[in-house]
Amino acid sequence: MKAVVVQRPGTDKPLEVVELPDPGQPQFGEIRVRLHGSTLNFHDSLAIRSATTPVGHIPLADGAGVVEAVGPGVDELVTGDHVVASFFPFWNDGRPTVDTFSRTPGLGLAGYAREIVVAPAAQFVKAPRGYSHPEAATLTVAGLTAWRALVSDAAVTPGNQVLIMGTGGVAVFALQFAKMLGATAIVTSSSDAKLRRARQLGADHTVNYRSVPDWGRHVFDLTGGGVDVVVELGGAATLPQSIDAARIGGLISLIGILAGVSGDVPTGTLNLKQVRLHGLVVGSRTQQQQMIRAIDATGTRPIIDRTFALDDLAEATDYLSSGAHLGKVAITF
Ligand SMILES: NC(=O)c1ccc[n+]([C@@H]2O[C@H](COP(=O)([O-])OP(=O)(O)OC[C@H]3O[C@@H](n4cnc5c(N)ncnc54)[C@H](OP(=O)(O)O)[C@@H]3O)[C@@H](O)[C@H]2O)c1
Protein backbone atom coordinates (compact mmCIF):
# COMPACT_ATOMS: atom_id res chain seq x y z
CA MET A 1 0.00 0.00 0.00
CA LYS A 2 1.03 3.58 -0.59
CA ALA A 3 2.01 5.74 2.39
CA VAL A 4 3.77 9.03 3.01
CA VAL A 5 6.43 8.90 5.74
CA VAL A 6 8.85 11.29 7.41
CA GLN A 7 12.13 10.16 5.85
CA ARG A 8 14.43 13.14 6.46
CA PRO A 9 13.40 14.72 9.81
CA GLY A 10 14.39 18.33 10.37
CA THR A 11 15.11 19.06 6.68
CA ASP A 12 13.09 21.22 4.31
CA LYS A 13 11.99 18.09 2.39
CA PRO A 14 11.09 15.67 5.20
CA LEU A 15 8.44 13.57 3.41
CA GLU A 16 8.67 10.67 0.97
CA VAL A 17 6.00 8.60 -0.79
CA VAL A 18 6.74 4.89 -0.15
CA GLU A 19 5.24 1.41 -0.62
CA LEU A 20 4.59 -0.43 2.66
CA PRO A 21 3.41 -4.03 3.16
CA ASP A 22 -0.34 -4.60 3.33
CA PRO A 23 -1.23 -4.66 7.08
CA GLY A 24 -3.28 -7.86 6.66
CA GLN A 25 -6.56 -8.93 8.19
CA PRO A 26 -8.01 -7.67 11.50
CA GLN A 27 -7.54 -9.73 14.66
CA PHE A 28 -9.82 -9.82 17.72
CA GLY A 29 -11.34 -6.38 18.39
CA GLU A 30 -9.79 -4.84 15.27
CA ILE A 31 -11.08 -3.45 11.98
CA ARG A 32 -9.44 -2.97 8.60
CA VAL A 33 -10.17 0.45 7.07
CA ARG A 34 -9.39 1.61 3.54
CA LEU A 35 -8.65 5.30 4.02
CA HIS A 36 -9.86 7.79 1.42
CA GLY A 37 -9.40 11.16 3.08
CA SER A 38 -7.57 13.22 5.65
CA THR A 39 -7.30 16.88 6.59
CA LEU A 40 -4.36 18.84 7.90
CA ASN A 41 -3.97 20.37 11.33
CA PHE A 42 -1.50 22.97 12.54
CA HIS A 43 0.17 20.29 14.70
CA ASP A 44 0.63 17.94 11.70
CA SER A 45 2.87 20.57 10.09
CA LEU A 46 4.87 20.91 13.32
CA ALA A 47 5.29 17.11 13.61
CA ILE A 48 6.27 16.73 9.94
CA ARG A 49 8.92 19.46 10.25
CA SER A 50 10.27 18.45 13.67
CA ALA A 51 13.85 17.19 13.83
CA THR A 52 12.82 14.80 16.64
CA THR A 53 10.17 12.92 14.59
CA PRO A 54 11.50 9.38 14.00
CA VAL A 55 12.45 8.24 10.48
CA GLY A 56 9.57 6.24 9.01
CA HIS A 57 6.84 7.99 11.03
CA ILE A 58 3.49 8.10 9.21
CA PRO A 59 1.95 11.53 9.88
CA LEU A 60 -1.64 12.82 9.98
CA ALA A 61 -4.08 12.59 12.88
CA ASP A 62 -7.23 12.93 10.76
CA GLY A 63 -8.46 9.99 8.74
CA ALA A 64 -11.65 8.67 7.20
CA GLY A 65 -12.60 5.78 4.99
CA VAL A 66 -14.57 2.56 4.64
CA VAL A 67 -14.45 -0.55 6.86
CA GLU A 68 -13.21 -3.43 4.67
CA ALA A 69 -13.25 -6.18 7.30
CA VAL A 70 -13.98 -6.62 11.01
CA GLY A 71 -12.27 -9.03 13.39
CA PRO A 72 -13.99 -11.24 15.95
CA GLY A 73 -15.50 -9.40 18.91
CA VAL A 74 -16.34 -6.22 16.97
CA ASP A 75 -20.05 -5.40 17.07
CA GLU A 76 -20.18 -1.57 16.84
CA LEU A 77 -18.97 -1.39 13.22
CA VAL A 78 -19.62 -3.60 10.19
CA THR A 79 -18.04 -4.02 6.76
CA GLY A 80 -19.02 -1.12 4.50
CA ASP A 81 -19.43 1.45 7.30
CA HIS A 82 -18.02 4.90 6.57
CA VAL A 83 -15.84 5.80 9.55
CA VAL A 84 -13.71 8.64 10.92
CA ALA A 85 -10.77 8.34 13.30
CA SER A 86 -10.92 9.32 16.98
CA PHE A 87 -8.03 11.48 18.22
CA PHE A 88 -7.79 9.74 21.62
CA PRO A 89 -8.85 6.13 20.93
CA PHE A 90 -8.30 5.28 24.61
CA TRP A 91 -10.35 8.15 26.08
CA ASN A 92 -13.87 6.95 25.56
CA ASP A 93 -15.96 9.08 27.93
CA GLY A 94 -16.06 11.18 31.10
CA ARG A 95 -13.30 13.42 32.41
CA PRO A 96 -10.05 13.81 30.46
CA THR A 97 -7.75 10.88 31.13
CA VAL A 98 -4.93 11.69 28.72
CA ASP A 99 -2.20 14.34 28.96
CA THR A 100 0.21 12.89 26.41
CA PHE A 101 0.16 12.18 22.69
CA SER A 102 2.04 8.88 23.06
CA ARG A 103 -1.00 6.83 22.00
CA THR A 104 -2.37 9.35 19.48
CA PRO A 105 -2.28 8.30 15.80
CA GLY A 106 -0.24 10.78 13.75
CA LEU A 107 1.80 11.85 16.79
CA GLY A 108 2.99 9.06 19.14
CA LEU A 109 1.61 6.31 16.87
CA ALA A 110 1.53 5.86 13.09
CA GLY A 111 -1.05 8.19 11.55
CA TYR A 112 -3.28 8.12 8.50
CA ALA A 113 -1.10 9.17 5.54
CA ARG A 114 -1.55 5.64 4.18
CA GLU A 115 -4.12 3.72 2.21
CA ILE A 116 -5.00 0.95 4.69
CA VAL A 117 -5.02 0.74 8.48
CA VAL A 118 -5.74 -2.23 10.75
CA ALA A 119 -6.48 -0.98 14.24
CA PRO A 120 -8.68 -1.48 17.31
CA ALA A 121 -12.31 -0.70 16.44
CA ALA A 122 -12.30 1.97 19.18
CA GLN A 123 -9.94 4.00 16.98
CA PHE A 124 -12.89 4.90 14.71
CA VAL A 125 -16.51 6.05 14.92
CA LYS A 126 -19.23 6.12 12.27
CA ALA A 127 -19.02 9.17 9.99
CA PRO A 128 -21.96 11.55 9.47
CA ARG A 129 -24.49 10.57 6.84
CA GLY A 130 -23.70 11.90 3.35
CA TYR A 131 -20.25 13.26 4.21
CA SER A 132 -17.37 12.77 1.77
CA HIS A 133 -14.31 11.11 3.32
CA PRO A 134 -12.28 14.37 3.55
CA GLU A 135 -15.32 16.06 5.13
CA ALA A 136 -15.55 13.27 7.70
CA ALA A 137 -11.82 13.53 8.43
CA THR A 138 -12.30 17.13 9.62
CA LEU A 139 -14.07 15.69 12.67
CA THR A 140 -11.06 13.92 14.20
CA VAL A 141 -9.40 17.11 15.47
CA ALA A 142 -10.75 20.50 14.34
CA GLY A 143 -14.46 19.73 14.55
CA LEU A 144 -14.22 17.90 17.86
CA THR A 145 -12.00 20.56 19.46
CA ALA A 146 -14.48 23.31 18.58
CA TRP A 147 -17.42 21.13 19.66
CA ARG A 148 -15.88 20.29 23.01
CA ALA A 149 -14.96 23.94 23.66
CA LEU A 150 -18.42 25.32 22.93
CA VAL A 151 -20.77 22.46 23.78
CA SER A 152 -19.18 19.98 26.18
CA ASP A 153 -17.20 22.48 28.27
CA ALA A 154 -18.72 25.97 27.82
CA ALA A 155 -22.34 24.78 27.41
CA VAL A 156 -23.03 27.75 25.10
CA THR A 157 -26.72 28.71 25.01
CA PRO A 158 -28.73 30.94 22.62
CA GLY A 159 -27.81 34.58 23.06
CA ASN A 160 -24.30 33.90 24.41
CA GLN A 161 -21.49 35.87 22.78
CA VAL A 162 -18.47 33.92 21.51
CA LEU A 163 -15.14 35.35 20.34
CA ILE A 164 -13.30 33.20 17.78
CA MET A 165 -9.69 33.80 16.82
CA GLY A 166 -8.62 33.56 13.16
CA THR A 167 -10.18 31.62 10.30
CA GLY A 168 -8.33 28.28 10.39
CA GLY A 169 -9.78 24.81 10.86
CA VAL A 170 -10.79 24.99 14.52
CA ALA A 171 -11.97 28.60 14.20
CA VAL A 172 -14.36 28.02 11.29
CA PHE A 173 -15.90 25.01 13.06
CA ALA A 174 -16.29 27.16 16.19
CA LEU A 175 -18.10 29.76 14.07
CA GLN A 176 -20.44 27.13 12.61
CA PHE A 177 -21.19 25.54 15.99
CA ALA A 178 -21.67 28.95 17.67
CA LYS A 179 -24.34 29.78 15.08
CA MET A 180 -25.87 26.28 15.39
CA LEU A 181 -26.26 27.02 19.12
CA GLY A 182 -27.88 30.44 18.57
CA ALA A 183 -24.91 32.42 19.84
CA THR A 184 -23.53 35.75 18.60
CA ALA A 185 -20.18 35.07 16.90
CA ILE A 186 -17.31 37.56 16.71
CA VAL A 187 -14.44 36.50 14.43
CA THR A 188 -10.96 38.02 14.22
CA SER A 189 -8.61 37.66 11.25
CA SER A 190 -5.54 39.25 9.71
CA SER A 191 -7.38 39.42 6.37
CA ASP A 192 -10.38 41.57 5.42
CA ALA A 193 -11.19 39.16 2.58
CA LYS A 194 -11.39 36.27 5.06
CA LEU A 195 -13.55 38.40 7.36
CA ARG A 196 -15.99 38.98 4.51
CA ARG A 197 -16.16 35.20 4.02
CA ALA A 198 -16.65 34.74 7.79
CA ARG A 199 -19.66 37.08 7.60
CA GLN A 200 -21.10 34.96 4.79
CA LEU A 201 -20.68 31.94 7.08
CA GLY A 202 -22.66 33.68 9.83
CA ALA A 203 -20.23 35.84 11.82
CA ASP A 204 -22.17 38.70 13.44
CA HIS A 205 -19.13 40.92 14.02
CA THR A 206 -15.64 40.82 12.55
CA VAL A 207 -12.38 42.48 13.62
CA ASN A 208 -9.06 42.64 11.79
CA TYR A 209 -6.52 41.92 14.53
CA ARG A 210 -3.76 43.60 12.49
CA SER A 211 -5.52 46.90 11.81
CA VAL A 212 -7.16 46.93 15.29
CA PRO A 213 -4.20 46.05 17.54
CA ASP A 214 -6.29 46.64 20.69
CA TRP A 215 -8.92 44.10 19.51
CA GLY A 216 -9.60 42.73 22.99
CA ARG A 217 -10.82 46.07 24.32
CA HIS A 218 -12.64 46.68 20.99
CA VAL A 219 -14.58 43.39 21.37
CA PHE A 220 -15.37 44.20 25.01
CA ASP A 221 -16.90 47.53 23.90
CA LEU A 222 -18.82 46.23 20.88
CA THR A 223 -20.40 43.43 22.92
CA GLY A 224 -21.48 45.84 25.65
CA GLY A 225 -19.40 44.29 28.43
CA GLY A 226 -17.46 41.34 27.07
CA VAL A 227 -18.02 37.89 25.60
CA ASP A 228 -19.17 34.78 27.45
CA VAL A 229 -16.61 32.52 25.77
CA VAL A 230 -13.30 33.08 24.01
CA VAL A 231 -12.06 30.35 21.67
CA GLU A 232 -8.40 31.16 22.36
CA LEU A 233 -6.23 29.86 19.53
CA GLY A 234 -3.27 32.26 19.75
CA GLY A 235 -1.95 31.27 23.17
CA ALA A 236 0.60 33.30 25.10
CA ALA A 237 0.65 36.44 22.95
CA THR A 238 -3.13 36.76 22.56
CA LEU A 239 -4.21 35.75 26.08
CA PRO A 240 -3.96 39.27 27.59
CA GLN A 241 -6.36 40.56 24.92
CA SER A 242 -8.67 37.56 25.38
CA ILE A 243 -8.90 38.49 29.07
CA ASP A 244 -9.77 42.07 28.02
CA ALA A 245 -12.47 40.76 25.66
CA ALA A 246 -14.11 38.43 28.21
CA ARG A 247 -17.06 39.45 30.36
CA ILE A 248 -16.84 39.29 34.15
CA GLY A 249 -17.00 35.57 34.96
CA GLY A 250 -16.51 34.60 31.29
CA LEU A 251 -14.66 31.51 30.06
CA ILE A 252 -11.49 31.36 28.00
CA SER A 253 -11.03 28.03 26.24
CA LEU A 254 -7.28 27.82 25.89
CA ILE A 255 -6.74 25.69 22.79
CA GLY A 256 -4.03 27.02 20.49
CA ILE A 257 -0.39 27.99 20.36
CA LEU A 258 -0.45 29.99 17.12
CA ALA A 259 1.25 32.93 18.83
CA GLY A 260 3.55 31.11 21.27
CA VAL A 261 3.57 28.44 23.99
CA SER A 262 4.39 30.55 27.05
CA GLY A 263 4.38 34.17 28.14
CA ASP A 264 3.22 36.78 30.65
CA VAL A 265 -0.38 36.56 31.81
CA PRO A 266 -2.03 39.55 33.54
CA THR A 267 -3.19 37.46 36.48
CA GLY A 268 -4.48 40.56 38.31
CA THR A 269 -7.04 41.30 35.57
CA LEU A 270 -7.89 37.61 35.26
CA ASN A 271 -8.54 37.53 38.99
CA LEU A 272 -10.51 40.78 39.17
CA LYS A 273 -12.74 39.80 36.22
CA GLN A 274 -13.13 36.30 37.70
CA VAL A 275 -12.49 34.83 34.27
CA ARG A 276 -12.18 31.05 34.04
CA LEU A 277 -9.22 29.83 32.03
CA HIS A 278 -9.66 26.30 30.73
CA GLY A 279 -7.00 24.37 28.82
CA LEU A 280 -8.33 21.63 26.57
CA VAL A 281 -7.03 19.05 24.11
CA VAL A 282 -9.45 17.78 21.46
CA GLY A 283 -12.08 15.52 23.13
CA SER A 284 -13.34 12.07 23.96
CA ARG A 285 -14.78 9.49 21.59
CA THR A 286 -18.22 9.97 23.15
CA GLN A 287 -18.05 13.75 22.59
CA GLN A 288 -17.15 13.03 18.96
CA GLN A 289 -20.21 10.77 18.59
CA GLN A 290 -22.44 13.46 20.17
CA MET A 291 -21.08 16.01 17.68
CA ILE A 292 -21.77 13.64 14.77
CA ARG A 293 -25.38 13.17 15.95
CA ALA A 294 -25.79 16.98 15.98
CA ILE A 295 -24.24 17.21 12.50
CA ASP A 296 -26.65 14.54 11.23
CA ALA A 297 -29.56 16.46 12.76
CA THR A 298 -28.59 19.89 11.41
CA GLY A 299 -26.86 19.08 8.12
CA THR A 300 -23.83 21.20 9.04
CA ARG A 301 -20.97 20.73 6.56
CA PRO A 302 -17.31 21.56 7.07
CA ILE A 303 -15.60 24.24 5.01
CA ILE A 304 -12.82 22.76 2.89
CA ASP A 305 -10.61 25.40 1.35
CA ARG A 306 -8.50 23.25 -0.96
CA THR A 307 -7.87 19.56 -1.65
CA PHE A 308 -4.55 17.86 -2.48
CA ALA A 309 -3.66 14.27 -3.47
CA LEU A 310 -1.78 12.12 -0.94
CA ASP A 311 1.29 12.27 -3.22
CA ASP A 312 1.28 16.06 -2.76
CA LEU A 313 1.18 16.04 1.05
CA ALA A 314 4.36 18.15 1.24
CA GLU A 315 2.79 20.82 -0.96
CA ALA A 316 -0.39 20.67 1.13
CA THR A 317 1.50 21.24 4.40
CA ASP A 318 3.34 24.18 2.83
CA TYR A 319 -0.02 25.62 1.82
CA LEU A 320 -1.40 25.20 5.36
CA SER A 321 1.69 26.83 6.84
CA SER A 322 1.31 29.81 4.48
CA GLY A 323 -1.93 30.68 6.31
CA ALA A 324 -3.69 31.37 2.99
CA HIS A 325 -6.51 28.94 3.80
CA LEU A 326 -9.89 29.46 5.47
CA GLY A 327 -11.28 26.33 7.16
CA LYS A 328 -9.65 23.00 6.35
CA VAL A 329 -7.05 21.78 3.86
CA ALA A 330 -7.93 18.26 2.68
CA ILE A 331 -6.05 15.25 1.34
CA THR A 332 -7.70 12.59 -0.85
CA PHE A 333 -6.44 9.09 -1.57
N1 LIG B 1 -5.83 22.01 22.10
C1 LIG B 1 -6.32 21.32 21.09
O1 LIG B 1 -7.00 20.32 21.26
C2 LIG B 1 -6.10 21.78 19.70
C3 LIG B 1 -6.77 21.15 18.64
C4 LIG B 1 -6.59 21.65 17.35
C5 LIG B 1 -5.76 22.75 17.15
N2 LIG B 1 -5.11 23.28 18.21
C6 LIG B 1 -4.29 24.46 18.03
O2 LIG B 1 -5.17 25.52 17.65
C7 LIG B 1 -4.50 26.39 16.77
C8 LIG B 1 -5.29 26.46 15.47
O3 LIG B 1 -5.19 25.19 14.84
P1 LIG B 1 -5.78 24.99 13.39
O4 LIG B 1 -5.44 23.59 12.99
O5 LIG B 1 -7.18 25.46 13.33
O6 LIG B 1 -4.82 25.97 12.59
P2 LIG B 1 -4.91 26.53 11.14
O7 LIG B 1 -6.02 25.94 10.37
O8 LIG B 1 -3.53 26.43 10.57
O9 LIG B 1 -5.27 28.07 11.42
C9 LIG B 1 -4.33 29.07 11.30
C10 LIG B 1 -5.06 30.42 11.31
O10 LIG B 1 -4.98 30.98 12.60
C11 LIG B 1 -4.92 32.39 12.52
N3 LIG B 1 -3.78 32.93 13.27
C12 LIG B 1 -2.48 32.71 13.06
N4 LIG B 1 -1.74 33.44 13.94
C13 LIG B 1 -2.62 34.10 14.71
C14 LIG B 1 -2.48 35.02 15.76
N5 LIG B 1 -1.27 35.41 16.21
N6 LIG B 1 -3.60 35.51 16.32
C15 LIG B 1 -4.83 35.11 15.88
N7 LIG B 1 -5.01 34.25 14.87
C16 LIG B 1 -3.91 33.76 14.29
C17 LIG B 1 -4.77 32.73 11.06
O11 LIG B 1 -6.05 33.18 10.63
P3 LIG B 1 -6.20 34.47 9.72
O12 LIG B 1 -5.48 34.12 8.44
O13 LIG B 1 -7.67 34.63 9.57
O14 LIG B 1 -5.54 35.62 10.43
C18 LIG B 1 -4.39 31.40 10.44
O15 LIG B 1 -4.83 31.28 9.11
C19 LIG B 1 -3.09 25.82 16.63
O16 LIG B 1 -2.24 26.45 17.57
C20 LIG B 1 -3.25 24.36 16.97
O17 LIG B 1 -2.06 23.78 17.45
C21 LIG B 1 -5.26 22.83 19.46
Side-chain angles (χ1 to χ4, degrees), residues 40-46 87-88 101 141-142 144-146 148 165-172 187-191 194-195 209-210 215 232-235 237-238 254-260 279-283 320-329:
L40 296 181
N41 297 289
F42 186 78
H43 76 249
D44 294 315
S45 294
L46 297 182
F87 187 75
F88 287 127
F101 299 123
V141 176
L144 180 54
T145 303
R148 176 176 167 199
M165 227 165 266
T167 56
V170 177
V172 171
V187 173
T188 71
S189 174
S190 56
S191 151
K194 288 183 179 180
L195 289 176
Y209 61 80
R210 291 256 163 79
W215 49 268
E232 169 54 85
L233 297 170
T238 49
L254 189 57
I255 295 171
I257 51 165
L258 290 165
L280 70 85
V281 183
V282 196
L320 185 88
S321 301
S322 77
H325 63 290
L326 179 145
K328 295 298 293 176
V329 175

Side-chain angles (χ1 to χ4, degrees), residues 31 33 37 63-67 76-78 80-86 123-140 285 288-289 291-297 300-301:
I31 57 174
V33 178
V66 180
V67 177
E76 192 183 323
L77 297 168
V78 297
D81 276 346
H82 287 210
V83 291
V84 48
S86 291
Q123 209 161 304
F124 288 86
V125 297
K126 273 190 199 163
R129 281 192 303 272
Y131 262 38
S132 70
H133 297 297
E135 283 180 323
T138 64
L139 304 177
T140 303
R285 195 165 175 269
Q288 189 182 23
Q289 289 168 318
M291 168 184 67
I292 288 171
R293 280 200 294 278
I295 284 171
D296 277 337
T300 305
R301 307 230 42 146

Side-chain angles (χ1 to χ4, degrees), residues 2-281:
K2 187 195 286 185
V4 180
V5 302
V6 175
Q7 202 67 292
R8 293 170 292 273
T11 68
D12 58 355
K13 295 216 182 315
L15 295 175
E16 195 165 303
V17 181
V18 296
E19 266 307 308
L20 295 180
D22 186 291
Q25 289 308 306
Q27 304 299 307
F28 187 86
E30 290 182 335
I31 57 174
R32 174 183 165 105
V33 178
R34 184 162 292 268
L35 295 163
H36 293 292
S38 181
T39 53
L40 296 181
N41 297 289
F42 186 78
H43 76 249
D44 294 315
S45 294
L46 297 182
I48 286 169
R49 291 199 166 85
S50 167
T52 59
T53 298
V55 170
H57 176 68
I58 304 176
L60 301 189
D62 295 351
V66 180
V67 177
E68 278 193 336
V70 300
V74 174
D75 46 19
E76 192 183 323
L77 297 168
V78 297
T79 302
D81 276 346
H82 287 210
V83 291
V84 48
S86 291
F87 187 75
F88 287 127
F90 304 99
W91 175 23
N92 185 52
D93 196 9
R95 289 185 183 183
T97 55
V98 201
D99 66 354
T100 146
F101 299 123
S102 62
R103 293 197 291 168
T104 298
L107 291 167
L109 301 178
Y112 299 113
R114 53 177 152 162
E115 290 176 319
I116 304 165
V117 58
V118 173
Q123 209 161 304
F124 288 86
V125 297
K126 273 190 199 163
R129 281 192 303 272
Y131 262 38
S132 70
H133 297 297
E135 283 180 323
T138 64
L139 304 177
T140 303
V141 176
L144 180 54
T145 303
W147 176 265
R148 176 176 167 199
L150 296 188
V151 178
S152 315
D153 290 353
V156 166
T157 50
N160 278 176
Q161 304 194 86
V162 178
L163 172 61
I164 298 155
M165 227 165 266
T167 56
V170 177
V172 171
F173 264 115
L175 168 59
Q176 292 178 291
F177 291 148
K179 295 317 296 175
M180 180 201 282
L181 296 163
T184 296
I186 303 111
V187 173
T188 71
S189 174
S190 56
S191 151
D192 288 338
K194 288 183 179 180
L195 289 176
R196 280 194 290 280
R197 180 89 175 97
R199 282 209 181 244
Q200 288 166 357
L201 293 170
D204 300 278
H205 305 285
T206 53
V207 186
N208 187 316
Y209 61 80
R210 291 256 163 79
S211 53
V212 184
D214 195 9
W215 49 268
R217 174 56 51 183
H218 177 83
V219 169
F220 181 88
D221 290 341
L222 83 81
T223 52
V227 297
D228 299 280
V229 181
V230 181
V231 178
E232 169 54 85
L233 297 170
T238 49
L239 193 51
Q241 299 228 31
S242 292
I243 296 168
D244 283 347
R247 70 160 166 80
I248 294 170
L251 172 73
I252 298 177
S253 253
L254 189 57
I255 295 171
I257 51 165
L258 290 165
V261 289
S262 64
D264 290 337
V265 177
T267 50
T269 320
L270 189 71
N271 199 343
L272 202 59
K273 287 182 85 172
Q274 299 154 73
V275 167
R276 290 163 297 147
L277 187 59
H278 182 202
L280 70 85
V281 183

